[in-house]
Amino acid sequence: MKIIDHTDFIRRNTSVLTPPLVPEVTLYLAHEAVPIWQKTEEELGEIGLPPPFWAFAWAGGQALARYVLDHAEIVRGRRVLDLATGSGLVAIAAKKAGADSVMAADIDSFACAAARLNARLNDVGITITDEDLLLGQAASFDVILVGDLFYEKALAERVHAWLGEAKCAGAHILIGDPGRSYLPKSSLQHVIDYNVPVTRELEDAEIKRTAVWRL
């Protein structure tokens, strides 16, 4: 795999846009999925890469960010983790809502670069890590935010188990999800629904009914 400048790549292949449901935040986002996916593979010299999740404001993340901004007391003055941060949208929203500290975690180096750029764009300070936190014990956070991470069975099972440990350790856990197949609804408490504008390139509708859940 080639070594490329992730920050330069993101700036060259995205535009500064505002997620429809979260106008308080601006992000470097792609207009279309396929072109940036192809460009990523071309520049890295590798095919079969995972989708550029970091390049879009997914419905689950938008709903969760909206909820956090509207209910700032949930994160205000607390230590917050945004698990699988992608663009950094939810982490940025948490910091804007008054979180004492925010860690944005993602194993994708592009996502880490995007989150760093987007945090700077929004003038907020967050910590970014590419460590796979699911490999270790649930760390000590007051609040854990998870946007749209239950789209694959094996991943969903790992996330659910890890979050269960975190809850036992005292964490308050919120999940934003637009109805993915592997969301463990039986162990969740429904909080609120949002209608989130999305692109048909990524979803099966232009408006996704998206819920925020509490573990």
Side-chain angles (χ1 to χ4, degrees):
M1 183 183 293
K2 298 178 183 177
I3 297 176
I4 68 170
D5 185 330
H6 295 82
T7 298
D8 177 65
F9 178 88
I10 292 166
R11 284 180 170 147
R12 284 189 288 107
N13 293 287
T14 61
S15 301
V16 174
L17 302 171
T18 300
L21 201 67
V22 197
E24 299 92 330
V25 177
T26 51
L27 303 169
Y28 286 95
L29 299 174
H31 290 279
E32 297 177 282
V34 174
I36 194 167
W37 198 342
Q38 292 174 334
K39 287 180 181 178
T40 304
E41 293 186 331
E42 287 170 4
E43 295 223 7
L44 288 175
E46 185 172 333
I47 61 172
L49 294 174
F53 294 117
W54 55 270
F56 301 94
W58 296 82
Q62 287 197 57
L64 193 52
R66 180 74 270 150
Y67 184 75
V68 166
L69 286 167
D70 290 345
H71 301 84
E73 68 278 1
I74 293 171
V75 299
R76 188 180 296 123
R78 297 183 175 177
R79 299 164 299 168
V80 177
L81 169 66
D82 177 20
L83 185 64
T85 192
S87 68
L89 169 59
V90 176
I92 292 165
K95 191 61 178 178
K96 280 180 172 286
D100 180 57
S101 64
V102 178
M103 176 177 284
D106 204 298
I107 59 173
D108 183 352
S109 55
F110 272 105
C112 291
R116 190 170 291 109
L117 273 173
N118 289 328
R120 194 176 308 142
L121 188 63
N122 289 274
D123 195 27
V124 298
I126 62 176
T127 301
I128 298 167
T129 180
D130 62 359
E131 180 183 356
D132 186 352
L133 300 184
L134 301 182
L135 294 176
Q137 293 183 332
S140 179
F141 293 97
D142 301 314
V143 181
I144 299 177
L145 305 172
V146 185
D148 211 339
L149 197 49
F150 291 89
Y151 52 87
E152 291 180 352
K153 187 174 187 295
L155 175 60
E157 290 173 350
R158 290 181 66 209
V159 172
H160 188 219
W162 191 86
L163 291 177
E165 293 179 9
K167 182 183 178 183
C168 290
H172 181 78
I173 298 165
L174 291 172
I175 297 167
D177 189 273
R180 302 302 183 203
S181 299
Y182 303 106
L183 182 72
K185 288 184 181 180
S186 61
S187 63
L188 304 178
Q189 176 187 357
H190 180 262
V191 177
I192 193 171
D193 285 319
Y194 295 97
N195 289 321
V196 186
V198 291
T199 171
R200 274 195 172 274
E201 267 201 305
L202 302 174
E203 303 287 3
D204 56 1
E206 293 180 353
I207 301 292
K208 287 292 286 188
R209 189 71 168 171
T210 303
V212 173
W213 303 82
R214 182 180 294 110
L215 180 61

